[in-house]
Amino acid sequence: MKYKFLLLLVISHICFSQFEELSNEQLFESSVIELDESEIFDDIEHYGMYPISLTKANSILISRLPLIDRDLAIRIVDLIQLQGIKDYKVLFDSLDLSDIQRYILKTCTYLYPTDTRYPSMNWRFRSNYQIENVKGFEKNNFLGNKFDYYSRFDANYDVLKGGVLLNKDAGEPDNFDFISGYLNSEVSGFNILLGDYSIEFGLGNMLWRNFGLRKGAEVINPARYKGKGILPYRSSIESNFFRGIAITKYIVINNDSEIKFDAFVSRQFRHSTIDSVNNIVTSIKNDGLFRTNTEISKKNDLREDIIGGIFNYRINRFQFSIAGFHFNYPLELATQSSYVYKGKGGSNLSFFMSYSDDEHLLMTEITQDVGIQIASKLHYIFKANFFDMTVAMRYFPESYRAQFGYIFGENSSPTNEFGIYTGLTLKKIPNSKISIYADFYKTLGRTYYIPAIVSGTDLLGDFVYNFGRDFIGNLRFRYEIKNDFISDGTPKLLTKSDRISLRCELRANTTDKGFCRMRVEVCRKFYYAVKPSEMGVLIFGEYKTQIFENFNIGSRLSYYNTDSYNSAIWQYEYTMPGYALTYPLYGQGIRLYMYGDYKISQYIRIWVKYTQLLKNNQKVISSGYNEIEGFKSNRLTAQLDFYL
Amino acid sequence: MKLNLSSFVLYLIGVQIILFENRSYAQLYQNQILLPIVNPKVLINEHQIADNPAIIHFVDNNYACFSYTISKFGLKEISPMYADIGMKFSEDWGLGLSLYGLGNELYNEFAIMLMSSYKLTDKIIAGISCEYIRMSIKDNFADYNFQFHFGTMLIISKKLTTGFSFKNITREYFTGGESTANQIATAGICYTPIDNISFEFGGIVRLATQSGFLVHFLYEPFDFTVFRVSYATAPKLFNIAIKLNTFDWINISFNLQYHNILGFAQTPAISLYW
């Protein structure tokens, strides 16, 4: 028995060490940000800049880190502050954490005071410049200039935290088109947040941030993540956040139980299209673009008032929570959107419960919306020595509405979907990690685009193999089958379509900060004899190296050839902190980007990225106001970070 | 008469190539020949190095290689000829030169490529090449451009190598072909389970035509004989090759390829080493 334990310990150390060298980008790409998960990104970066002391912080503070829930935070405090664990490796092995959780803890916390001086203030400035003029400028539709910027200032003085964010998109005439800010402090045992905030509750049936975890190679974490309550808003996305005041109070009853209250009030002006004849709102505008007279006429024209609260009771391994809020608009919402509320106002109520121990995590959320529709989710995770598995079920009626919700499912809007998701990760296989998921889903009514019930199956298998210290290989297979609407013929046809994709990738670490990486990805799309099948292929090579101390450069060149947008292959790009994007590559062409970063001093660091997109046989790139005449698009991005 | 007919057919091919395909004959057809990409073992003759310049690194000796594709459609003018020479200047640095010619007075094309490889680390080799291509149709058209190609080889282990290459990374094109430039990317992996057997699997993205996959199987029954069988999709190609290197200083090879539209092509080659 003793030897078995030792063997397990050795194997777990091998498994840990093989992935701890993964880069920031790889971890995000494999785990979190396969799609635009920018808010978790921002959180990791924020706490990376202002890390938490694991030897001093309480579990409430630690649980504010992304993907670290309250139960896990309590166990971390127990292991470090009570049992005296002094090493991250031992901590991680004791907790059996996923790769991304390990990364977050190592990035956002520290165990002992070091000579490292963490900044108390940070100012980030970023600007994008599209070299070609887009149609909006060529035709003089845009009222503003081409200048595009993002500016974020954060300060952290003991218990007082604050931030201001300014943003302007190219073509917008107002130099301060979007202004957001918050002030957060502890006052007499109350946590008070003034300004902009977002709310995560339960499993996202009713309240969540703009984005959440999506289906991807990290198959267990998305089912594990539960809401963290009220959070400062640090994003430049101009929708689905609240503006006002939020107060949180913890009451610790004893070591095993506590109560937490949240109360919030928000008055926010949304952007909408108003039918002035009928005095109704016909659409809500969430893209945050105000460049033309028509777009500007929709700005801040709909007042929204919200008041609500959350009650949370934790006892031993159980957590019970109830949240509710009431919203009110001066005009009736009558949009075609499947996620926007209908009517002028109403109340939502949600109940959440969770149970967790070393092997099991069970969570459920049951929600009643303003139209008295009931939605529910149930997540279960089982952790064994050699595998983790999850089953997650979701049920959202066709007419259920949750404008501020977000779900982990086929569609992120919590409405019109029933599904069962199962995931399995095999652990402690020397040099390997294997993850599999299967998601079976169907809508409960027609969708906006397809006039029928849509049902489908989504399967993914991901295999990561470590060839030694220098090479990591990844093989990913995905198969999706669902109802599809063939719209490029007459009459339009409803059929089944399959999409099969295979990705092979190899990364070679050349130095501590340098790597060479290559990927081949192929996708086939089948339409069951209704239409010829389609194919897409992508090959990219990337190289990054350190030229001299504090100066790194890199480049990625992608060649792609796909039959249409339906067989597009998405490419994830992460070259500078806080700025990542996924880009669909379709048609025939190349995408090249070159990037570099230079740390001028301990106070200043700069990043630069140049991107070129070329498309064969194209007379224009993109569409609408963003259309570019020709087959070339060139873009320059620069970012500056200033620390004090 | 035959010469006139040949010239006329060649003229039509030239017009087709330049005006509609915007590529040279070599790029249009020869690049579709199955080429090794990530392992020097799969080379049948040294001209095939041109597909991934990083492979020069693995040439042990200086070499000169001459190859010739036997005339297509019975027209001796459609018989591409190649001459290649290469040498290792140091443990880290190799250099090669490749010449290509086709045609007659009416239509002709010519290319010269300078290739170089450099060892970045013990396991990563990078290569770059610069190619000058000139094409002309008498009294009608003459154009040239410089294309740059880039290739890499990654040596994972003695049994496993992988790599990728990008052709025409600066997107050069002939007059009129601005939006249909010929660019090709390849990537592949080669597995050698035992010393005398190798499998190579690769993907090809051709921006101007079809993309697809290829697979090579290589077998060395004796020290001086190599057999290679290959298959590619889009276009469908089947290829059999044999290499005989009875002496250290010479290597004779023969390549037989079947293209689903163009039919059979035979390419003998001879390589000398010193």
Side-chain angles (χ1 to χ4, degrees):
Chain A
M1 189 64 197
K2 182 183 172 186
Y3 292 108
K4 271 190 179 175
F5 172 75
L6 281 174
L7 183 64
L8 280 177
L9 199 65
V10 169
I11 289 172
S12 67
H13 272 273
I14 291 168
C15 293
F16 166 68
S17 59
Q18 69 196 342
F19 293 111
E20 69 177 330
E21 300 299 332
L22 291 183
S23 71
N24 194 353
E25 179 190 15
Q26 276 187 306
L27 279 164
F28 277 114
E29 189 160 355
S30 66
S31 308
V32 184
I33 309 175
E34 288 219 299
L35 291 167
D36 312 302
E37 186 35 284
S38 56
E39 287 165 330
I40 285 183
F41 213 142
D42 289 343
D43 284 350
I44 294 173
E45 208 202 339
H46 176 82
Y47 286 107
M49 207 178 304
Y50 308 114
I52 294 169
S53 166
L54 288 184
T55 53
K56 292 179 181 172
N58 60 26
S59 59
I60 296 167
L61 190 58
I62 295 170
S63 68
R64 288 184 187 161
L65 296 172
L67 299 180
I68 308 295
D69 64 21
R70 193 65 205 292
D71 300 321
L72 181 58
I74 290 168
R75 291 168 66 199
I76 290 170
V77 169
D78 180 59
L79 288 167
I80 289 178
Q81 297 179 14
L82 299 177
Q83 296 186 35
I85 284 180
K86 297 174 180 175
D87 185 84
Y88 274 114
K89 279 190 176 184
V90 181
L91 176 73
F92 295 164
D93 290 338
S94 306
L95 293 168
D96 191 20
L97 301 177
S98 67
D99 296 332
I100 188 69
Q101 285 174 314
R102 290 171 177 179
Y103 172 76
I104 288 167
L105 279 176
K106 280 194 91 170
T107 305
C108 305
T109 67
Y110 61 93
L111 272 170
Y112 294 100
T114 64
D115 292 336
T116 307
R117 182 180 167 274
Y118 296 107
S120 55
M121 285 194 291
N122 165 241
W123 177 59
R124 168 167 297 166
F125 182 83
R126 180 168 62 236
S127 184
N128 278 297
Y129 183 74
Q130 178 74 46
I131 293 171
E132 295 82 12
N133 273 345
V134 299
K135 192 176 177 181
F137 289 113
E138 291 286 340
K139 304 285 182 188
N140 293 320
N141 300 111
F142 292 166
L143 302 177
N145 55 33
K146 287 180 78 172
F147 184 54
D148 163 296
Y149 80 92
Y150 162 99
S151 167
R152 192 188 73 192
F153 175 79
D154 275 309
N156 201 346
Y157 290 103
D158 197 19
V159 295
L160 182 65
K161 301 174 179 67
V164 177
L165 190 147
L166 307 173
N167 182 231
K168 172 193 175 299
D169 295 303
E172 290 179 334
D174 187 348
N175 284 329
F176 304 101
D177 181 76
F178 178 64
I179 304 173
S180 175
Y182 72 92
L183 201 60
N184 183 205
S185 185
E186 295 279 340
V187 180
S188 304
F190 289 88
N191 186 289
I192 299 175
L193 202 157
L194 284 170
D196 294 344
Y197 57 91
S198 53
I199 307 173
E200 287 181 356
F201 176 77
L203 298 172
N205 289 8
M206 183 178 74
L207 287 167
W208 205 261
R209 298 196 279 186
N210 278 297
F211 299 105
L213 297 176
R214 303 296 302 266
K215 289 185 281 188
E218 183 63 53
V219 301
I220 303 294
N221 263 326
R224 179 184 285 152
Y225 199 31
K226 61 184 175 185
K228 290 184 175 298
I230 292 163
L231 301 158
Y233 192 72
R234 299 191 189 96
S235 172
S236 60
I237 298 166
E238 301 179 27
S239 63
N240 285 7
F241 63 93
F242 303 101
R243 180 165 285 174
I245 181 168
I247 298 172
T248 302
K249 173 69 178 172
Y250 278 93
I251 301 170
V252 178
I253 300 167
N254 56 43
N255 280 344
D256 295 324
S257 60
E258 68 182 22
I259 292 172
K260 178 187 165 202
F261 294 101
D262 295 288
F264 54 91
V265 178
S266 166
R267 169 164 285 190
Q268 170 73 291
F269 286 88
R270 305 285 178 197
H271 322 303
S272 68
T273 304
I274 294 172
D275 176 348
S276 54
V277 176
N278 298 308
N279 226 18
I280 56 171
V281 176
T282 54
S283 71
I284 299 280
K285 181 175 166 61
N286 283 327
D287 62 9
L289 297 171
F290 302 99
R291 304 161 299 183
T292 66
N293 280 323
T294 309
E295 288 174 347
I296 291 169
S297 70
K298 298 175 181 176
K299 190 173 180 181
N300 296 333
D301 61 352
L302 180 66
R303 196 187 73 224
E304 174 193 86
D305 292 318
I306 288 180
I307 183 166
I310 302 172
F311 171 80
N312 188 78
Y313 177 52
R314 189 179 64 79
I315 179 163
N316 293 324
R317 297 175 184 276
F318 289 92
Q319 179 187 331
F320 303 94
S321 307
I322 295 175
F325 70 88
H326 181 84
F327 67 92
N328 185 57
Y329 294 98
L331 301 174
E332 183 182 347
L333 303 186
T335 75
Q336 296 296 312
S337 169
S338 60
Y339 73 95
V340 174
Y341 292 126
K342 290 195 183 300
K344 291 179 74 170
S347 299
N348 296 266
L349 194 65
S350 194
F351 170 77
F352 171 77
M353 191 208 85
S354 76
Y355 167 82
S356 67
D357 61 28
D358 292 343
E359 293 181 340
H360 307 275
L361 172 62
L362 179 68
M363 300 187 289
T364 185
E365 184 180 6
I366 300 169
T367 309
Q368 176 185 290
D369 77 345
V370 64
I372 325 291
Q373 296 288 315
I374 304 291
S376 61
K377 286 190 85 179
L378 178 70
H379 288 190
Y380 172 67
I381 293 173
F382 176 66
K383 294 175 75 173
N385 269 338
F386 292 97
F387 68 89
D388 289 349
M389 63 152 291
T390 182
V391 178
M393 289 187 282
R394 56 197 186 270
Y395 171 75
F396 293 88
E398 185 184 358
S399 51
Y400 177 82
R401 293 289 178 273
Q403 192 169 317
F404 306 112
Y406 182 98
I407 59 164
F408 166 60
E410 177 63 11
N411 294 302
S412 55
S413 298
T415 182
N416 194 19
E417 188 169 314
F418 170 72
I420 299 175
Y421 170 90
T422 57
L424 176 74
T425 295
L426 302 178
K427 305 182 295 185
K428 298 178 181 174
I429 304 171
N431 300 323
S432 306
K433 182 183 172 189
I434 298 172
S435 303
I436 302 162
Y437 79 65
D439 187 33
F440 308 94
Y441 60 89
K442 66 180 289 190
T443 62
L444 301 172
R446 65 157 291 168
T447 70
Y448 185 79
Y449 296 104
I450 299 179
I453 287 175
V454 176
S455 60
T457 302
D458 181 4
L459 307 171
L460 179 135
D462 189 72
F463 175 57
V464 179
Y465 186 77
N466 193 313
F467 293 95
R469 190 171 176 78
D470 295 333
F471 291 97
I472 297 172
N474 179 212
L475 194 65
R476 184 179 299 179
F477 171 80
R478 189 169 186 180
Y479 172 71
E480 296 169 271
I481 179 169
K482 65 176 180 179
N483 296 16
D484 213 341
F485 201 44
I486 311 299
S487 57
D488 56 352
T490 306
K492 294 175 179 177
L493 292 169
L494 192 64
T495 181
K496 285 269 180 192
S497 72
D498 290 2
R499 184 185 161 102
I500 300 171
S501 61
L502 180 69
R503 174 188 294 182
C504 308
E505 181 172 314
L506 184 82
R507 179 191 167 104
N509 294 317
T510 51
T511 59
D512 286 347
K513 293 189 175 175
F515 65 84
C516 179
R517 184 180 178 200
M518 57 171 279
R519 177 186 294 178
V520 179
E521 185 161 348
V522 59
C523 120
R524 290 297 303 264
K525 180 119 181 167
F526 299 95
Y527 294 96
Y528 287 91
V530 171
K531 184 179 164 184
S533 63
E534 294 186 13
M535 182 170 165
V537 187
L538 162 79
I539 292 178
F540 80 57
E542 182 172 5
Y543 191 72
K544 185 180 179 185
T545 189
Q546 186 174 48
I547 298 293
F548 52 83
E549 197 179 359
N550 298 334
F551 182 43
N552 306 295
I553 60 165
S555 178
R556 180 189 292 182
L557 178 61
S558 307
Y559 281 40
Y560 59 91
N561 187 343
T562 79
D563 289 331
S564 78
Y565 181 81
N566 294 325
S567 45
I569 296 175
W570 292 71
Q571 175 174 284
Y572 171 82
E573 297 173 7
Y574 171 70
T575 49
M576 56 185 78
Y579 185 66
L581 59 95
T582 50
Y583 195 87
L585 296 171
Y586 60 94
Q588 294 83 40
I590 67 170
R591 184 171 172 89
L592 164 75
Y593 64 80
M594 295 181 276
Y595 54 94
D597 71 86
Y598 181 49
K599 188 176 178 184
I600 296 170
S601 72
Q602 63 171 316
Y603 304 111
I604 302 174
R605 190 168 180 184
I606 56 171
W607 292 262
V608 178
K609 179 187 180 187
Y610 165 72
T611 309
Q612 184 177 61
L613 176 74
L614 298 171
K615 287 197 166 193
N616 275 5
N617 302 308
Q618 294 283 315
K619 291 181 179 168
V620 294
I621 289 179
S622 198
S623 60
Y625 289 133
N626 293 322
E627 185 179 290
I628 295 169
E629 204 168 307
F631 58 92
K632 285 183 191 175
S633 166
N634 294 279
R635 198 173 178 83
L636 199 60
T637 305
Q639 178 169 299
L640 179 142
D641 263 19
F642 182 73
Y643 310 94
L644 201 62
Chain B
M1 184 64 191
K2 189 184 174 189
L3 180 65
N4 290 340
L5 180 64
S6 303
S7 299
F8 179 67
V9 172
L10 192 65
Y11 178 83
L12 290 180
I13 290 173
V15 170
Q16 158 78 14
I17 287 169
I18 294 171
L19 298 184
F20 300 107
E21 300 288 351
N22 197 40
R23 280 162 289 163
S24 70
Y25 177 88
Q27 289 173 332
L28 187 60
Y29 297 115
Q30 300 304 308
N31 276 339
Q32 293 179 352
I33 287 176
L34 302 158
L35 294 174
I37 38 185
V38 295
N39 194 331
K41 281 193 84 163
V42 192
L43 287 173
I44 288 295
N45 63 61
E46 279 70 19
H47 173 66
Q48 296 171 346
I49 289 174
D51 197 50
N52 185 352
I55 294 180
I56 300 177
H57 175 79
F58 297 92
V59 175
D60 294 329
N61 303 99
N62 300 335
Y63 67 85
C65 172
F66 306 94
S67 58
Y68 168 77
T69 299
I70 295 167
S71 59
K72 295 292 300 173
F73 314 121
L75 302 177
K76 67 179 182 352
E77 289 84 358
I78 309 181
S79 301
M81 286 176 282
Y82 307 91
D84 295 80
I85 187 165
M87 55 200 72
K88 283 278 283 282
F89 279 94
S90 71
E91 187 59 34
D92 297 338
W93 188 39
L95 202 65
L97 188 73
S98 179
L99 297 166
Y100 154 75
L102 169 106
N104 59 13
E105 189 186 354
L106 191 61
Y107 169 76
N108 64 69
E109 55 185 62
F110 169 75
I112 180 167
M113 185 194 295
L114 184 65
M115 303 171 281
S116 178
S117 69
Y118 189 75
K119 187 168 86 169
L120 296 174
T121 72
D122 285 343
K123 299 192 170 180
I124 301 179
I125 318 297
I128 191 160
S129 56
C130 173
E131 186 175 16
Y132 165 85
I133 305 173
R134 183 182 60 78
M135 294 194 295
S136 70
I137 299 175
K138 189 179 181 185
D139 301 330
N140 269 302
F141 177 92
D143 199 2
Y144 70 91
N145 63 42
F146 285 96
Q147 299 188 359
F148 289 89
H149 316 305
F150 175 77
T152 296
M153 254 197 74
L154 309 170
I155 306 158
I156 299 170
S157 70
K158 202 174 173 184
K159 293 184 173 182
L160 205 58
T161 59
T162 181
F164 57 85
S165 72
F166 293 99
K167 291 205 157 193
N168 192 11
I169 53 178
T170 51
R171 203 175 187 279
E172 299 301 322
Y173 50 85
F174 294 106
T175 306
E178 194 179 24
S179 65
T180 55
N182 178 49
Q183 294 178 285
I184 299 172
T186 60
I189 188 162
C190 185
Y191 179 55
T192 306
I194 51 178
D195 280 349
N196 60 347
I197 288 181
S198 294
F199 300 93
E200 183 171 306
F201 179 76
I204 302 175
V205 174
R206 295 187 193 91
L207 299 192
T209 56
Q210 298 163 294
S211 299
F213 302 93
L214 64 83
V215 60
H216 295 293
F217 169 71
L218 183 128
Y219 177 53
E220 290 180 71
F222 316 106
D223 286 348
F224 56 87
T225 309
V226 175
F227 287 110
R228 191 184 72 185
V229 179
S230 313
Y231 176 75
T233 65
K236 287 187 173 58
L237 293 169
F238 185 72
N239 184 293
I240 299 174
I242 183 169
K243 178 166 80 171
L244 299 169
N245 45 352
T246 317
F247 303 102
D248 288 346
W249 57 275
I250 189 168
N251 155 25
I252 296 168
S253 66
F254 186 77
N255 207 70
L256 176 66
Q257 177 166 290
Y258 177 74
H259 183 290
N260 62 338
I261 296 169
L262 297 173
F264 285 98
Q266 305 85 25
T267 305
I270 183 167
S271 301
L272 302 171
Y273 307 98
W274 67 94

